[in-house]
Amino acid sequence: MMRLIDIRSIRPGALLPAVLLSACATTGQEAPKAYLPAIDVPAQAETDPVGTGHADAADDPAIWRNAADPAASLIVATDKKAGLYVYGLDGKVRDFVAAGALNNVDLREVTRADGTRRILVAASDRTDKAVPRIALFWLDGTSGKLTSLGAETFFFEGHAPAEAYGFCMGGSLDNGDLARAYVVLKDGTVAESGLYEHDDRVVPEYFREVKLATQSEGCVVDDATQTLFIAEEYVGIWKVPLQGELKARPFARVGVTDGLVDDVEGLGIAREASGRGWLVASSQGDNAYALFDLGTGKLAGRFRINGGAIDGTSDTDGIEVALGDFGPQYPEGLFIAQDGDNAPQAQNFKLLSWRAIREALGIR
């Protein structure tokens, strides 16, 4: 009898050749392919744990790069049981706002009507699981402090009780809005809204939606190509061109070819000044991260956060990546991943150098 093997239990890099050859000999069929081995890359720093202990609480990070002083850049991240944190690159807490069950977070530098620039932070608010809302904040880049603007609901076609789950933002639509907001509802519906400033409020105005078949969460917008990427957790990654009608097209599938083990969670875009770019995805099922070349759509490599003086990650939900100078530790860019098991402490976020990831995967 041929024994079934769960690929998630395989040691990193171990391909079980004897078992695969035995299966081939028994069935007379070609041996199945194995996942591309994931290369270990150590974390360089980690954040303080979130305040909610003994629970699945830390979830999703976002990065603000301080162009004037890259080493003073900031990280915003959710405790989905309690609210929103701000960390420095040393991992120390700079601010915390109790704001309820905020799941995914994103931020953008936006231009206000008076021409001033501010940092807008927004998150999916699932405090009320029947009414999807967007929680909104201003971030002060100098002090690291958040100012809450409250949580705003939005209308979408066929409105029914729904939980705001995933979230990401894109650049302005150039029609008076500050940015675009994409709320991924737990049933796979993704609603697009424009974010508009009215007096002291930032208000979402619903525009349109696209629907995936099953539970989805992670999303990211590639402003360079005006493309939205969405992770359907047990299926794979979809890309949605934002010009014209919203229509989801397959980008990567769960399985050995694309290096994704369900469920697929956080997504991030790493784009160089030259235009070359990669999509990074959390392959939560095997505690790895898959890197896709955005030019070709092909899998460029897989890595795990492991080794070094800081513990690795497992069961990662949200990730974020930003390229550019972030100071001496992160000269080419910064990658952040939620750590689902930071025992004996509460969950937290791990920080990696993009250069270390690039060199480990042999990307030139």
Side-chain angles (χ1 to χ4, degrees):
M1 179 183 296
M2 185 172 68
R3 184 165 60 94
L4 296 178
I5 295 175
D6 185 350
I7 192 72
R8 303 180 203 182
S9 67
I10 297 176
R11 264 188 311 111
L15 302 184
L16 301 182
V19 175
L20 295 180
L21 288 173
S22 173
C24 183
T26 301
T27 63
Q29 298 176 354
E30 183 181 352
K33 295 179 181 177
Y35 284 87
L36 180 70
I39 307 299
D40 285 349
V41 183
Q44 288 192 229
E46 63 182 331
T47 67
D48 290 339
V50 297
T52 304
H54 310 292
D56 179 21
D59 196 89
D60 189 52
I63 299 168
W64 174 70
R65 179 177 176 273
N66 186 332
D69 185 2
S73 298
L74 298 171
I75 301 160
V76 179
T78 58
D79 177 336
K80 61 188 175 187
K81 309 292 186 183
L84 201 59
Y85 281 91
V86 179
Y87 301 96
L89 296 190
D90 59 359
K92 301 302 181 184
V93 175
R94 300 285 297 276
D95 196 20
F96 171 74
V97 175
L102 304 187
N103 206 55
N104 285 185
V105 64
D106 204 354
L107 59 81
R108 293 273 167 162
E109 285 197 49
V110 300
T111 302
R112 305 175 74 182
D114 62 5
T116 59
R117 298 280 289 173
R118 294 200 70 177
I119 307 165
L120 178 65
V121 177
S124 53
D125 186 341
R126 58 193 294 205
T127 304
D128 184 340
K129 290 183 170 56
V131 181
R133 291 190 173 93
I134 301 171
L136 295 142
F137 308 82
W138 292 122
L139 171 64
D140 186 314
T142 302
S143 68
K145 301 300 182 182
L146 290 163
T147 300
S148 176
L149 302 174
E152 301 281 350
T153 191
F154 57 93
F155 175 82
F156 57 95
E157 294 177 8
H159 177 64
E163 181 179 347
Y165 203 45
F167 182 81
C168 57
M169 285 201 286
S172 169
L173 294 166
D174 295 324
N175 61 353
D177 61 328
L178 296 172
R180 289 167 294 164
Y182 296 90
V183 179
V184 183
L185 306 179
K186 206 165 188 179
D187 69 354
T189 301
V190 185
E192 179 190 62
S193 298
L195 297 177
Y196 295 88
E197 188 172 14
H198 296 293
D199 298 323
D200 293 327
R201 297 172 60 199
V202 175
V203 180
E205 179 183 329
Y206 167 83
F207 289 132
R208 52 186 181 167
E209 66 190 59
V210 64
K211 179 74 167 65
L212 302 183
T214 62
Q215 182 170 308
S216 306
E217 181 179 3
C219 70
V220 67
V221 175
D222 181 11
D223 283 334
T225 61
Q226 290 290 288
T227 304
L228 170 69
F229 293 89
I230 311 165
E232 188 176 3
E233 295 187 357
Y234 299 99
V235 176
I237 302 169
W238 298 83
K239 63 178 181 179
V240 182
L242 296 175
Q243 296 177 338
E245 180 184 1
L246 295 186
K247 184 176 182 181
R249 303 171 183 175
F251 179 79
R253 296 287 188 181
V254 165
V256 295
T257 301
D258 290 328
L260 296 172
V261 181
D262 60 49
D263 53 49
V264 185
E265 288 284 342
L267 302 177
I269 296 286
R271 191 171 285 282
E272 296 178 342
S274 65
R276 189 182 183 195
W278 296 268
L279 175 73
V280 189
S282 169
S283 175
Q284 191 185 77
D286 69 336
N287 302 321
Y289 309 91
L291 201 70
F292 298 90
D293 187 313
L294 285 171
T296 65
K298 301 297 184 182
L299 179 67
R302 289 172 13 104
F303 68 97
R304 286 190 174 89
I305 301 175
N306 193 32
I310 298 171
D311 65 304
T313 59
S314 59
D315 300 320
T316 293
D317 286 325
I319 63 172
E320 184 61 290
V321 58
L323 301 193
D325 176 19
F326 281 84
Q329 280 192 290
Y330 313 100
E332 295 182 14
L334 174 66
F335 176 82
I336 305 175
Q338 180 258 6
D339 184 8
D341 184 3
N342 190 45
Q345 297 178 303
Q347 295 177 343
N348 71 347
F349 300 86
K350 301 298 194 285
L351 284 64
L352 280 74
S353 162
W354 176 256
R355 175 182 287 176
I357 296 169
R358 180 182 61 76
E359 290 181 346
L361 297 182
I363 295 173
R364 300 289 181 258

